[in-house]
Amino acid sequence: MNMVLGPEVSFSRLDRALSKLGWERAPDTSAAPSLVPGEPEFASWSRHDDESISYTFNPVVRLRVLVFYGARAGALKTEVESSLPALGIPELEALLQSTDPRQLLLGVLALRELRALALTERLGPLRSHREATVARAAQKAHAELVQLAVEVAAERLREDKRQRPDRSVLFPRLGDAHLRRQTLRWLIRDRKESNEHIEAVLRSGLVDKDWEVRATAMLAAARLGVRALGKDVERLELPRTSREGPDETDRSILYAARKVVLAQLAGEPGPERTAAPDHGDGRHELRAIMSRHLWRCVAGLPAERLDRVFLLINALSEPLDIEYDAPPALDCVVEEDGRYRLRRTGIEVCWVAALPHWLGADDPDLTARNPIRRVAPSTGFFIARRPLSGSQARSLVSPVFAAQVGATADDESYLCNHGEAARLCEVLGQFEGARIDLPETDQREMAGRGTDGRRYPWGNGLESGRSRLASPWGLDIALVRESEWTKTEAEMVEHIAYGGKDDSRCAFRATVPTENASVRCAIRPVVLLVGS
């Protein structure tokens, strides 16, 4: 049981505090003198027969470590912590963000001593730190913590398996909800039949805390014909309110889809393709068509129509496919640790590969027509990770031009009319020596939506925590607050802006009359490849 003291704690203060708590210091048997006078590098205390404390001090970074021994080691540590300041998670995080190599090294060594698994990912960038001492310490600490995590996880898995032998113990621990969603969707694509291991995974998925994981597991049960999961699908908890994520329309689709899944798992035949009898009002025929359409979507058969039912079920069952070769080298784009930026301005950009994307929607309130379709761009493109900020825009334009645009906070999106937005992209392109322009509307939707036709950049519902995520291609999507200009025009009399104010739907587009120069939107430039 380890404790790391705050670096401000002197040895004399430590000794006095332990003495007041009834600890007796053992005689110093060190042959060599301490590097820092009055600060021994090793010491120990005891209290009663089976309770002891050992102490080590690293004078280079002032790392002070106490190790508690005995049956009551945890209680002893708590007692000492009440008398002396110790390093906890917040203090470690602050040290690991320091620009001082000695503070960084102290944070890494303390993290290793405390075995703080929650901060393991913080060590990743430090393993390649420019200071060799920091890098080596981070590499060693990272290796030890990863091994510890494996051992802890293995023990937890063994215990969980003993308690629930019918479920997968690995699946619930596959990282975040996004990874669990994609795992099930790749399973739907790659597998044609089930087995006991897949059944266990699906049974775990049907009780997952994430509603999309549960819905995907339900669809996977139908696609793979796992009839043994019929009762589990009946008990499946689907969202009941918009606060849980999907809106009322999508919730009705989910409940209707469950009825179809249960029918398919029960071996019932699908609706006949023959025309249903019409009793004069056409409603019976319409219900038969919709029933057949939903059945085909759930079963993964080619859809007879592209609508909201198709989009939702497709997004819940089709894996996000954004694997691609490295983008072509451009003089204006610099790659660092898997991220890209423009060479001269430092503007961060994301790569969107030339892969087929599902675009569009049939929502009745869309102000600009955007039919559902699958689009395969001829080339990939780079697009700004964030809209241009006030400081970025002003660095590109003359003082007169900036005054015409108006005041904008440096860290907020720069808003201007369409003509000014096009001019800014032109100037940026000249400065970077590249073809830079406003994106086509389809390009902007691809960058924010990914390939699977999801309703929002983060998924298919408005659940909490979404603003901290990135789009599948890496765009920052802290809730869309402003529309963004695109290059696309509607019949030469209207510009099309992407996104509505505070509307995060991937398919939302708005039209702006070309003669209306008072409308101001944000700018998210694209870097085009030669020939695109």
Side-chain angles (χ1 to χ4, degrees):
M1 185 68 66
N2 292 12
M3 171 182 170
V4 177
L5 296 172
E8 73 278 9
V9 178
S10 65
F11 181 80
S12 60
R13 180 182 173 184
L14 166 64
D15 193 32
R16 288 195 303 271
L18 291 180
S19 178
K20 288 180 180 179
L21 294 173
W23 292 91
E24 182 179 351
R25 183 184 170 193
D28 185 3
T29 59
S30 176
S34 302
L35 293 178
V36 179
E39 294 284 355
E41 292 161 28
F42 303 95
S44 63
W45 293 260
S46 62
R47 192 175 68 176
H48 308 303
D49 293 337
D50 61 343
E51 296 178 352
S52 61
I53 300 175
S54 67
Y55 166 81
T56 57
F57 172 60
N58 181 329
V60 177
V61 294
R62 305 188 71 80
L63 174 70
R64 303 176 187 274
V65 181
L66 295 178
V67 182
F68 298 84
Y69 301 93
R72 298 175 57 249
L76 301 178
K77 176 174 177 286
T78 300
E79 181 184 44
V80 174
E81 283 178 331
S82 67
S83 301
L84 293 168
L87 297 186
I89 295 298
E91 292 78 17
L92 290 178
E93 287 189 316
L95 288 171
L96 294 174
Q97 295 173 12
S98 175
T99 57
D100 182 347
R102 287 209 308 174
Q103 293 291 294
L104 276 175
L105 187 56
L106 172 60
V108 171
L109 295 177
L111 176 62
R112 178 185 170 197
E113 292 290 344
L114 294 175
R115 310 175 91 185
L117 293 175
L119 297 181
T120 303
E121 291 185 0
R122 298 279 190 181
L123 295 171
L126 298 179
R127 288 182 295 167
S128 57
H129 196 271
R130 62 180 180 276
E131 293 288 341
T133 305
V134 174
R136 285 195 297 270
Q139 291 165 6
K140 186 173 183 178
H142 186 271
E144 291 182 4
L145 290 176
V146 168
Q147 179 60 34
L148 175 62
V150 171
E151 294 172 0
V152 171
E155 179 55 35
R156 290 178 180 173
L157 292 177
R158 285 191 290 270
E159 179 59 28
D160 284 358
K161 193 64 177 178
R162 284 193 291 268
Q163 295 181 7
R164 295 304 303 263
D166 60 330
R167 293 183 186 173
S168 167
V169 294
L170 290 173
F171 180 76
R173 293 176 169 81
L174 287 178
D176 59 11
H178 169 78
L179 180 56
R180 297 196 301 279
R181 294 173 188 176
Q182 295 306 314
T183 297
L184 292 180
R185 291 166 195 175
W186 278 112
L187 188 150
I188 290 174
R189 174 178 288 189
D190 292 344
R191 303 303 295 261
K192 302 303 180 185
E193 58 185 23
S194 183
N195 56 44
E196 61 178 322
H197 303 295
I198 292 177
E199 184 176 323
V201 167
L202 295 184
R203 187 169 276 113
S204 294
L206 289 168
V207 295
D208 195 272
K209 60 184 178 180
D210 179 75
W211 76 266
E212 283 203 41
V213 173
R214 299 196 300 272
T216 296
M218 175 182 73
L219 295 171
R223 300 279 177 93
L224 298 176
V226 191
R227 295 192 176 188
L229 295 180
K231 293 295 183 182
D232 299 85
V233 172
E234 280 188 45
R235 294 189 294 265
L236 169 66
E237 292 187 13
L238 292 174
R240 298 179 180 180
T241 69
S242 297
R243 291 191 301 273
E244 297 175 73
D247 63 16
E248 183 178 2
T249 299
D250 282 350
R251 293 199 304 275
S252 67
I253 294 172
L254 290 173
Y255 278 89
R258 175 161 61 180
K259 292 181 180 179
V260 172
V261 169
L262 290 172
Q264 292 181 358
L265 293 179
E268 297 180 14
E272 293 295 330
R273 213 182 144 78
T274 56
D278 191 349
H279 298 293
D281 58 5
R283 286 182 294 179
H284 190 85
E285 171 65 13
L286 179 60
R287 285 195 296 270
I289 292 173
M290 290 305 299
S291 176
R292 185 169 65 239
H293 174 56
L294 180 59
W295 185 284
R296 294 181 66 82
C297 289
V298 168
L301 300 173
E304 297 175 341
R305 55 190 295 174
L306 301 180
D307 59 2
R308 188 161 177 176
V309 171
F310 165 79
L311 270 185
L312 177 61
I313 293 179
N314 180 79
L316 292 172
S317 56
E318 179 173 309
L320 183 66
D321 189 1
I322 56 173
E323 296 295 328
Y324 57 88
D325 295 331
L330 299 179
D331 291 340
C332 68
V333 176
V334 177
E335 188 268 337
E336 295 174 344
D337 298 326
R339 296 175 73 114
Y340 302 93
R341 62 174 177 83
L342 297 185
R343 184 178 299 277
R344 300 191 65 184
T345 58
I347 294 173
E348 287 189 280
V349 293
C350 301
W351 172 249
V352 180
L355 297 173
H357 289 66
W358 281 106
L359 304 181
D362 62 352
D363 297 5
D365 63 336
L366 294 183
T367 59
R369 184 174 179 273
N370 189 10
I372 299 171
R373 64 216 182 277
R374 202 174 193 204
V375 176
S378 57
T379 64
F381 56 91
F382 288 98
I383 184 168
R385 182 178 295 275
R386 307 174 189 88
L388 294 186
S389 66
S391 59
Q392 289 171 331
R394 285 189 178 81
S395 69
L396 296 171
V397 298
S398 68
V400 174
F401 184 74
Q404 291 174 349
V405 175
T408 304
D410 284 352
D411 58 349
E412 293 180 355
S413 297
Y414 194 70
L415 306 180
C416 59
N417 66 36
H418 191 275
E420 293 160 345
R423 173 61 180 159
L424 267 177
C425 290
E426 181 181 350
V427 173
L428 177 60
Q430 293 171 353
F431 189 70
E432 292 285 358
R435 290 185 60 209
I436 296 180
D437 204 342
L438 294 171
E440 297 287 352
T441 316
D442 282 359
Q443 289 177 323
R444 179 59 185 85
E445 187 174 339
M446 291 176 195
R449 194 168 195 172
T451 59
D452 57 10
R454 58 186 58 197
R455 186 167 179 77
Y456 303 101
W458 52 81
N460 292 286
L462 285 173
E463 53 268 24
S464 62
R466 58 193 180 276
S467 61
R468 298 191 298 272
L469 305 177
S471 81
W473 289 114
L475 269 61
D476 282 351
I477 51 173
L479 287 178
V480 177
R481 296 299 184 192
E482 304 291 344
S483 299
E484 300 174 15
W485 286 121
T486 72
K487 186 178 181 180
T488 308
E489 294 185 347
E491 300 178 355
M492 305 302 290
V493 296
E494 292 177 315
H495 298 299
I496 297 182
Y498 178 83
K501 187 175 180 62
D502 297 325
D503 192 319
S504 300
R505 286 178 293 176
C506 294
F508 192 90
R509 306 176 179 190
T511 55
V512 180
T514 54
E515 70 273 9
N516 188 347
S518 64
V519 176
R520 300 182 184 281
C521 299
I523 313 162
R524 197 188 292 261
V526 293
V527 181
L528 303 173
L529 305 184
V530 176
S532 61

